[in-house]
Amino acid sequence: MTRMVHVKAELAQVRAAMPGTVAVVMTMGALHDGHAALLRAAREQADHIIATIFVNPLQFGPSEDFDRYPRSPDTDLAICAMAGAEVVFAPSGSQMYPNGEPRVQVSPGPSGERFEGASRPGFFHGVLTVVLKLLQLTRPELAFFGEKDYQQLTLVRRMAQDLDLPVRVLGVPTVREPDGLALSSRNRYLSPAERREALRLSAALRAGADAAERGADPVGTLAAARAAFTAGEPKATLDYLELTDPDLGPPPRSGPARLLVAAWVGDTRLIDNAPLTLRG
C-alpha cells in the first residue's frame, strides 16, 4: 500500500526503515503518463520508490501560474500506487520553508541563466534549491527526472557532480501523445484550438532532426526547425528555439546535439526538446 506523508519527521522514520536501493521521483503533482514512466523506470532499478509532490513557490515568478497550477492529490496518489511508489511525500510550504523564502539558495551557474533561466529569471535558483532539499530529506541512491525538462535535468546532474551529492541522476525519455505533443501538466490549460497550435513545438523538433539527418549544419538545422514552427499563420509565439550540445554548450559541427524550444500558446507557456545527431 502506498503511504502518504506530509511532515519531514515522518518521512525520516519511513526512510530509515527502507533497506536496499532507494529511488526518488520529484513532481509538482497533476501527474500524467509521463510521471508514471518515471516511476516505472525507478521501479526497474530500485528496491524502494519515494515520490514527492510539492508545488514549489520558489520557481514561480510574480506573474506566473502558481495559484492556478493544477492540483489533483487523489488522482496523483492513485497513479503513484499503480506505478509502485511506496511513499508519497507531500509537504506543505511551511514544512519545506519554515522560515519563509530561504536566504541561501543554489546558484545554477551560467548554464542556468540561459533559455528557461533567461525567460524566467531566478527559476533555476528555485528549482535547484528545492531539489537539493528533497535529496537531503529522501536520501536516495537514484533520482529520476524527465528529459522533457532537459535543462533542468542537465543542471541537476551538474549540481550532483559539483557538490559531490551521493546520488545518481538518471533521465527518462519524453512521453508524447500519438500526434507528438509532449505530455505536460500545463496541457490541461489548452483549448482544442490551442492544443492544435501547440503541435508546432514538436513539428519544429522533427523538422530540425530530419534536416540534421540529411546532413544540415547547425545553421541549416535551426532554419528548418524555425520554418516548421512558423509555417502557415502561427498563433503561437516563439520564445526561443536553440541548438546545443548535450551539456547545453555550443552545438557541435557533428555528433550528438539537443534542440530546445519554448513558446506561448494562448496564455500557456510550453517547452519541449529532442535529441538529434549532426552529420557534419
Side-chain angles (χ1 to χ4, degrees), residues 175-183 187 195 199:
V175 178
R176 299 182 180 277
E177 298 281 3
D179 59 7
L181 183 67
L183 294 187
N187 287 351
R195 193 197 176 285
L199 295 176

Side-chain angles (χ1 to χ4, degrees), residues 64-65 68 115-120 123 148 184 186-187 189-190 201 237 239-240 261-271:
E64 293 186 334
D65 58 345
R68 75 180 185 117
F115 313 134
E116 290 301 286
S119 296
R120 306 175 67 186
F123 173 68
K148 178 183 169 292
S184 169
R186 288 185 168 95
N187 287 351
Y189 296 159
L190 301 172
L201 281 79
T237 303
D239 185 349
Y240 62 77
V261 63
W264 286 95
V265 182
D267 294 329
T268 304
R269 188 174 179 278
L270 301 176
I271 63 172

Side-chain angles (χ1 to χ4, degrees), residues 71-94:
R71 293 163 170 85
S72 52
D74 292 339
T75 302
D76 293 347
L77 183 59
I79 290 174
C80 288
M82 289 181 61
E86 296 166 61
V87 177
V88 176
F89 179 50
S92 65
S94 61

Side-chain angles (χ1 to χ4, degrees), residues 253-267:
R253 294 292 300 176
S254 63
R258 205 85 189 187
L259 189 59
L260 303 99
V261 63
W264 286 95
V265 182
D267 294 329

Side-chain angles (χ1 to χ4, degrees), residues 16-17 25 32 74 78 116 124 133 148 193 199 204-205 207 214 251-252 267:
V25 174
H32 49 64
D74 292 339
E116 290 301 286
F124 283 118
K133 285 177 68 72
K148 178 183 169 292
L199 295 176
L205 298 177
R214 294 193 300 269
D267 294 329

Side-chain angles (χ1 to χ4, degrees), residues 170-259:
L170 301 171
V172 177
T174 301
V175 178
R176 299 182 180 277
E177 298 281 3
D179 59 7
L181 183 67
L183 294 187
S184 169
S185 299
R186 288 185 168 95
N187 287 351
R188 64 189 69 191
Y189 296 159
L190 301 172
S191 69
E194 288 170 341
R195 193 197 176 285
R196 290 190 295 272
E197 193 70 9
L199 295 176
R200 290 183 180 277
L201 281 79
S202 55
L205 298 177
R206 287 195 304 272
D210 290 345
E213 183 66 26
R214 294 193 300 269
D217 64 6
V219 172
T221 296
L222 272 174
R226 187 174 292 273
F229 185 92
T230 58
E233 298 181 358
K235 295 181 176 62
T237 303
L238 187 65
D239 185 349
Y240 62 77
L241 179 60
E242 299 287 349
L243 185 64
T244 76
D245 72 8
D247 294 320
L248 303 177
R253 294 292 300 176
S254 63
R258 205 85 189 187
L259 189 59

